[in-house]
Amino acid sequence: MAGRLWAAAVLAVAGLIAGPSPGGPGGAQATPVFAPVDRPGPALSVPEAVLAQSVQCTANATASGREVALFVPGTTVTPREDFGWNWFPALSRLGWPYCAVTLPNNAMSDIQVSAEYVVYAIRYVHRISGRRVDVLGHSQGGTEPRFALRFWPDLRPMVDHYVAFGATNHGSMIVDTMCVPACAPAIWQQRYHSNYVDAMNSYQETFAGISYTDIYTRTDQFVQPNLDDTGATSLHGGAGRITNVALQDICPQDLEGEHLAVGTYDPVAYAIAMDALTHDGPADPARVSRDVCTQTFMPGVDPTRFPGEYADALGTIASELTNYPRVPAEPPLRSYTLAG
């Protein structure tokens, strides 16, 4: 019920910036020719001092005895609103080391710049832990790691698991309607087959040595189409090992799993992600106990505090969608993404 209330409220806010149909400036553009997949990545344009302040880690992430989980938040939120009341306490109870990267402007500005924060974070966590990194991202937070892996090849040996929750890996047709006549830069870039999305997916979607687990829900109100593994979140091709799995593949009667829930408090999503993190390779749905279908919250969520935490996240989301400055077109692709 909480998820449905959130969906209704935020869709109402989204309606304030939406027109009747997609189109307008930034819509159809000439198809660019992208850089080869093994061209070395560019120097980061964001000052290192700024990047360093964006990454926070638990004390046990340094010289860690296990791979560290690095969390990347979604559009409109910081790690606190996205993961601070669910994943962080869950992993703390397990003694599991984790880090999080705070993206600029609540992940509402150019995602290409946000991706630089993730590039830095992966390198940093790899260096302090002495191990490969497990990257977990929600919504837009599932795209920055993939954009980073695509255009900074040095990161690929540093990453073991990629786990995404409701990621806009191929954009979303629903998001298209939010950009008439204007929307925030990061919203533009999550349109279905935006230039950013096409650059991220150019030539191959996955890379050797990395396990990809893409978790989605068929009842996602923002990331569509997502009715099966041909949808917006799922990945295909390339040399990585891939599992695309819907909440409903585990719990067929699950009608409550929606976009915010899948990355914050959903017990099925948590179980799938933990299966990936505790095994070699991506998640295997056959290993996930169907007992999770009777649970309301993932570990780490305090039921007594849930209404307040959920309301805080909802308030931040609504405020950013309403107040963040809107632009009439998608930010141009950076030169390093293009051939030549």
Side-chain angles (χ1 to χ4, degrees):
M1 179 60 71
R4 290 178 180 174
L5 291 173
W6 176 82
V10 177
L11 283 172
V13 171
L16 296 175
I17 63 173
S21 61
Q29 300 183 26
T31 301
V33 179
F34 298 108
V37 296
D38 291 324
R39 187 167 75 186
L44 302 182
S45 64
V46 181
E48 184 173 358
V50 175
L51 295 170
Q53 292 179 349
S54 71
V55 186
Q56 295 80 39
C57 296
T58 54
N60 58 348
T62 300
S64 175
R66 71 189 315 165
E67 291 172 352
V68 177
L70 170 63
F71 288 87
V72 186
T75 314
T76 73
V77 291
T78 70
R80 185 184 68 81
E81 290 96 13
D82 218 348
F83 308 114
W85 48 281
N86 40 67
W87 272 96
F88 294 171
L91 293 188
S92 292
R93 292 173 190 174
L94 296 173
W96 197 299
Y98 62 87
C99 301
V101 57
T102 299
L103 304 178
N105 304 308
N106 280 44
M108 292 289 280
S109 50
D110 188 347
I111 305 177
Q112 296 169 103
V113 177
S114 294
E116 294 193 21
Y117 286 69
V118 176
V119 171
Y120 178 88
I122 291 172
R123 290 171 176 166
Y124 175 79
V125 176
H126 174 67
R127 177 168 57 83
I128 68 166
S129 68
R131 305 181 68 89
R132 297 172 73 192
V133 182
D134 293 335
V135 184
L136 295 87
H138 182 199
S139 191
Q140 180 197 141
T143 74
E144 282 98 351
R146 293 195 52 243
F147 191 87
L149 290 166
R150 169 63 179 84
F151 292 106
W152 282 268
D154 68 290
L155 301 178
R156 296 169 197 165
M158 302 180 189
V159 175
D160 186 11
H161 289 282
Y162 162 92
V163 178
F165 308 95
T168 47
N169 278 325
H170 296 277
S172 171
M173 290 182 176
I174 301 299
V175 174
D176 283 19
T177 67
M178 299 172 67
C179 291
V180 182
C183 59
I187 305 295
W188 274 112
Q189 290 167 310
Q190 292 177 86
R191 289 158 45 251
Y192 197 64
H193 284 293
S194 69
N195 285 335
Y196 168 81
V197 163
D198 286 349
M200 175 177 62
N201 293 322
S202 57
Y203 303 132
Q204 63 185 81
E205 297 188 4
T206 69
F207 295 95
I210 302 173
S211 298
Y212 295 80
T213 299
D214 274 280
I215 304 166
Y216 66 97
T217 174
R218 297 184 181 122
T219 54
D220 195 310
Q221 74 278 24
F222 287 119
V223 186
Q224 288 291 346
N226 241 343
L227 299 179
D228 55 34
D229 69 0
T230 66
T233 293
S234 298
L235 297 177
H236 304 276
R241 293 186 287 177
I242 305 170
T243 290
N244 300 308
V245 56
L247 302 183
Q248 292 79 15
D249 292 334
I250 308 298
C251 304
Q253 304 306 313
D254 185 350
L255 299 178
E256 289 295 322
E258 44 77 41
H259 189 67
L260 182 60
V262 72
T264 57
Y265 68 86
D266 190 277
V268 186
Y270 172 83
I272 297 168
M274 289 303 294
D275 181 81
L277 297 182
T278 54
H279 291 86
D280 178 56
D284 180 353
R287 292 192 297 247
V288 177
S289 170
R290 271 47 181 177
D291 291 345
V292 296
C293 300
T294 64
Q295 298 171 10
T296 302
F297 299 117
M298 63 168 276
V301 175
D302 182 343
T304 64
R305 300 183 61 181
F306 171 76
E309 301 284 8
Y310 195 83
D312 286 346
L314 172 59
T316 299
I317 292 166
S319 176
E320 291 293 327
L321 288 175
T322 302
N323 298 317
Y324 194 84
R326 301 160 200 166
V327 296
E330 178 181 353
L333 286 173
R334 299 295 176 101
S335 60
Y336 62 80
T337 69
L338 304 174

